[in-house]
Structures are given as structure tokens and as C-alpha cells.
Amino acid sequence: MKNRTSTLLIDDIPIAITRRKMKSLRLRVCPQKGEVKVSAPHFVARGDIHAFVVKNLDWVRSQRAEIANREVVPVRLMQTGDSIPLLGQTFRLLVEGGVSRPSLKCLADNLLLMRLPVSAGLVEQQQLIDTWYRDQLKLAIPPLLERYEPIMGVGVKQWGIKKMKTRWGSCNITARRIWLNLDLASKPAQCLEYVVVHELAHLLESGHTPRFWAIVDKTMPTWRAANLILNPRSRK
């Protein structure tokens, strides 16, 4: 059965509902703009979804208020001394200008040398960081697959890295292909490990069923700590 989407309005708050093949309701408030989203099994009645949201409405309001009241940080160029996180490590940025072509090079002592043309802006800087992140993930992911594929008894035919707005990973069960979010490079290494295990588990169980979570729990008992870092505002 295909995923279906609809919208529910409760106290002037739009609730985006996506019906999926799953066992239980899941409510979350997106950290960027405060959108409220519910993932629901196909068999759950709309009235039950309404009651579920109303039950958690105080939590929804508090999360949205927190997001709305955040201090707006002015966008600025990355500067020498800025911290760049990578899989639990911290790198310090050294910015040099006046070159013809932008580049990013890792030096000793966790230093990153970013060289930029005078005309370069934040977009060019972020492109350099993203390329570096992608290269680092390409080194970090294969050992995790080599470790967990035999443990879990599954095999991935293809994997890739891309930016995703709402997911840390995705899995195409038919093609046996997984995608991992580029932003995982900026999180602790345990988060990348958890998402790899999470997506491999989907090759054994498509939905977030009790069996799915049992597989994840058996394979990586510490997954909850990583999930809390990645999804601090989610409720199951």
C-alpha cells in the first residue's frame, strides 16, 4: 500500500499526516520551522489521530514556542578559528584569501586550511565543507557495512550519500540500496553507525515494527543514545 498524505488542523496548527506501513503513531515537530508531522499506520482512524495529537498538544506548543523564540543568528562567512565538527572530532578552520581557485586541505593537529578567492562567499565555503564531508563519509561507511552486513545477514548492493531535509537515511528494499544523509558527517560517529544499522534492519523488516526495533536493539544496544542526538524532538 502506497504512502498517503493529508492535513489536519487543530487549534490553528496544521498537522501533516503521512500514512505508512507501520504499527504505531509517531509525532514530531521539525526543528527548522516548527512544522508538526504525524506518521500513522493505514488502519488508524482519523479521529484516533486527532485524539493522539490533542493528547500531546501541550508538548507540541512548547516545542513550537521554543523554535519561534530562538535567537536569530546573523549569517556570516566562516572565519579562522571556527570549529568544524566531523564524526565526533573537532577541526579548527584556517581561512586564507586571494587565491584563484577555492580549496580545502586537512593539515596536522586537526587544522583545516580553506583557501578562497576574494569574491567567494558563504555558498562557496559550504560547498568546500560539503565536499570534504562527503569524502570523509566515503571512508567511514564501508567499514561499517563490512562489520554489520555479516552480523545481520544482509547485503547492500548500492549505497550513496546525499543531503536530505527530513531523514537521516533511507532504504530501497527492492533495489537493496541505502542512502545516508550528508549531515551525518557533522554528528558523532555513533550516529552514523546507528543510521547504517537502522537502514540495514529495513532490509529485514520494512516497517518500524516491534521486530524491526528488536533487530536494531540486538545489533546495536546503544542505539537510543544516538537516536536522541539525531531526533531530540521525536516521540514514538
Side-chain angles (χ1 to χ4, degrees):
M1 190 177 294
K2 294 183 179 180
N3 293 347
R4 293 183 288 115
T5 60
S6 60
T7 301
L8 187 66
L9 191 65
I10 300 177
D11 281 3
D12 293 325
I13 301 174
I15 315 293
I17 302 169
T18 301
R19 293 186 178 271
R20 307 178 185 276
K21 185 179 179 182
M22 56 193 303
K23 293 291 187 180
S24 59
L25 290 163
R26 181 171 179 264
L27 171 67
R28 60 194 176 97
V29 178
C30 297
Q32 288 80 19
K33 297 182 180 180
E35 301 101 326
V36 183
K37 297 185 178 182
V38 173
S39 296
H42 292 284
F43 60 82
V44 174
R46 190 175 177 88
D48 291 335
I49 297 174
H50 185 283
F52 174 71
V53 175
V54 169
K55 180 181 176 181
N56 292 284
L57 202 54
D58 288 343
W59 176 80
V60 169
R61 289 196 188 100
S62 68
Q63 294 299 315
R64 284 168 58 87
E66 178 184 330
I67 293 168
N69 291 332
R70 283 180 189 160
E71 181 181 354
V72 177
V73 179
V75 176
R76 67 169 180 84
L77 290 174
M78 299 179 197
Q79 300 174 358
T80 293
D82 284 353
S83 298
I84 306 296
L86 173 71
L87 299 176
Q89 300 183 66
T90 299
F91 287 75
R92 294 295 177 184
L93 200 61
L94 177 61
V95 180
E96 291 184 0
V99 300
S100 58
R101 296 182 62 183
S103 65
L104 185 67
K105 182 180 180 181
C106 187
L107 305 177
D109 300 322
N110 282 22
L111 277 176
L112 281 177
L113 174 60
M114 178 181 286
R115 307 188 72 192
L116 297 163
V118 174
S119 61
L122 186 60
V123 171
E124 288 79 10
Q125 287 186 321
Q126 191 60 57
Q127 287 174 345
L128 287 174
I129 296 296
D130 286 350
T131 298
W132 182 63
Y133 273 164
R134 188 178 298 275
D135 290 342
Q136 299 306 308
L137 286 179
K138 286 180 179 179
L139 296 174
I141 293 169
L144 292 173
L145 293 174
E146 291 171 8
R147 175 184 176 185
Y148 284 110
E149 282 179 322
I151 291 175
M152 301 176 72
V154 296
V156 173
K157 289 186 177 180
Q158 185 181 5
W159 60 271
I161 302 162
K162 64 180 178 179
K163 283 199 168 186
M164 291 182 269
K165 292 183 177 180
T166 60
R167 296 183 179 183
W168 291 108
S170 65
C171 176
N172 184 315
I173 297 173
T174 302
R176 305 192 75 78
R177 178 177 63 243
I178 66 173
W179 288 100
L180 299 166
N181 194 324
L182 179 65
D183 289 340
L184 284 167
S186 67
K187 303 300 180 180
Q190 71 188 98
C191 295
L192 174 63
E193 182 179 3
Y194 162 58
V195 177
V196 168
V197 169
H198 187 111
E199 299 311 323
L200 289 178
H202 277 307
L203 297 177
L204 299 170
E205 180 71 27
S206 60
H208 292 120
T209 63
R211 177 173 179 261
F212 171 87
W213 292 113
I215 292 170
V216 174
D217 204 39
K218 180 180 179 181
T219 307
M220 185 181 176
T222 60
W223 68 269
R224 290 174 181 82
N227 183 57
L228 187 62
I229 294 171
L230 295 175
N231 304 295
R233 292 180 175 81
S234 67
R235 282 195 171 187
K236 285 183 63 181

